[in-house]
Amino acid sequence: MVSRIDGGPIANWWWTIDRSILAACLLLMGIGLLLSFAASPSVAHRIGIADNFHFVKLHIKYILPAFFVMIIVSFMDPHNIRCCCLLLLGITMVLMILTLFAGIEIKGARRWISLLAFTIQPSEFMKPAFIVILAWLFAKQKGHHNMLGYLLAMVLYAVCVFLLVLEPDIGQTVLISVTGFALFFLAGVSQIIILLFLGFIIVGGISAYIVFDYVRERIKGFLTGDGNTFQVDVGREAIINGGWFGQGPGEGTVKRIIPDSHTDFVFSVAAEEYGIVLCMLIVGLFTFIVIRSLFIAIKEHEHFIRFSTAGLAMLFGFQSIVNMAVNLHLVPPKGMTLPFISYGGSSLVAVAFAMGALLAFTRKRPEARMSASLSNMVITV
């Protein structure tokens, strides 16, 4: 037990951290590990790997550093997280440029690059860093009459989108666009900037539909049912067949025929084997983390912390919604992982970094809030 009178860093962390958000994140990690045992062996067998638990072992290998990353980052103060994100954003942008020339091509896209003994997807780490720096630019803009902060935010967004489109990775582009638009709106920017940003997103969406064949095919397949909709159709059918309590552990069939059952369609595996009850628990955990974080953000007086908390929570929530919506055939396929649950090294560690930052931003800081309240009282008087 950690005593309240203990003044050490661990005790201070334990009594200031939002333990309910931490518990929800750890529970999601546990569910992800459980579903890895359910979905991964069939994938290994299908592609000819002798060890059926190959991907399970890799999942455990990735989830351990992800856990430590989340905990370590949650110890940091907001200033250090901002500096860390600024450095991370610069590094990931350089790596994304290198990926275009020396990256690993998979299914016609260059999103991964080999560094030493690791293969990483830089865009996964770019997302939380982009959101935090965007929040910092908005916070710096507050109280100033010039538009420099908003212009820098627009330039930063355009550069990130440009690098993502070159890979191409339209799913991640949509994700940071939706989250960025919500953050622009929450920051209280002028209606002209909101309309310009919205117009940029609409024009970009139309351009992606015209330029990229696979985007056009996925949207047409979603609207008409024609084309290659096998994974989506089977995934939705698996959810329906699962019922309330599922077919039972190991009894699912979707994992045996869908190539991405351990990544993009792990939610369908959960529904078929464990039923709607587990799916409702997963949805409930995601919803709790987002709503709890937004509730804390509303009460925060410091602009940078408020915007960062809201932005990271929305990024986490939107990514979860997109993945589950694809499984339910509510939106066109995006190729996006389910945070903490889907298999993937870069995705797991990047989400852990984002949630570690969120935990750091939502820590109790009574002295800072009291100081902000006193400042507001002085200004009012």
Side-chain angles (χ1 to χ4, degrees), residues 235-243 271:
R236 181 182 55 181
E237 189 175 324
I239 294 173
I240 296 172
N241 293 338

Side-chain angles (χ1 to χ4, degrees), residues 181-211:
F181 178 77
L183 202 51
F184 265 86
F185 187 81
L186 288 176
V189 302
S190 66
Q191 294 181 355
I192 296 176
I193 295 178
I194 290 289
L195 291 174
L196 287 173
F197 192 86
L198 183 60
F200 185 84
I201 293 176
I202 293 173
V203 171
I206 296 172
S207 301
Y209 181 84
I210 296 172
V211 173

Side-chain angles (χ1 to χ4, degrees), residues 238-284:
I239 294 173
I240 296 172
N241 293 338
W244 282 100
F245 301 103
Q247 302 292 325
E251 300 299 322
T253 58
V254 63
K255 64 187 181 183
R256 301 172 188 169
I257 56 179
I258 290 185
D260 299 326
S261 61
H262 61 321
T263 54
D264 300 348
F265 288 90
V266 69
F267 189 73
S268 296
V269 175
E272 186 178 30
E273 296 202 358
Y274 296 96
I276 297 176
V277 172
L278 179 61
C279 292
M280 291 176 64
L281 173 61
I282 293 172
V283 173

Side-chain angles (χ1 to χ4, degrees), residues 100-169:
L100 299 175
F101 301 98
I104 302 170
E105 185 172 342
I106 300 177
K107 297 179 181 180
R110 290 184 180 271
R111 303 171 187 170
W112 298 266
I113 188 170
S114 293
L115 293 176
L116 300 177
F118 301 96
T119 300
I120 67 170
Q121 185 177 354
S123 59
E124 289 286 354
F125 296 92
M126 180 272 291
K127 293 184 298 184
F130 164 75
I131 292 300
V132 172
I133 298 305
L134 198 67
W136 176 58
L137 290 173
F138 288 152
K140 295 292 287 184
Q141 183 63 41
K142 283 291 184 179
H144 298 278
H145 299 292
N146 60 63
M147 304 287 286
L148 181 60
Y150 297 145
L151 291 175
L152 289 176
M154 289 291 290
V155 171
L156 177 62
Y157 165 76
V159 172
C160 291
V161 165
F162 179 71
L163 292 174
L164 286 171
V165 170
L166 288 179
E167 289 185 348
D169 194 341

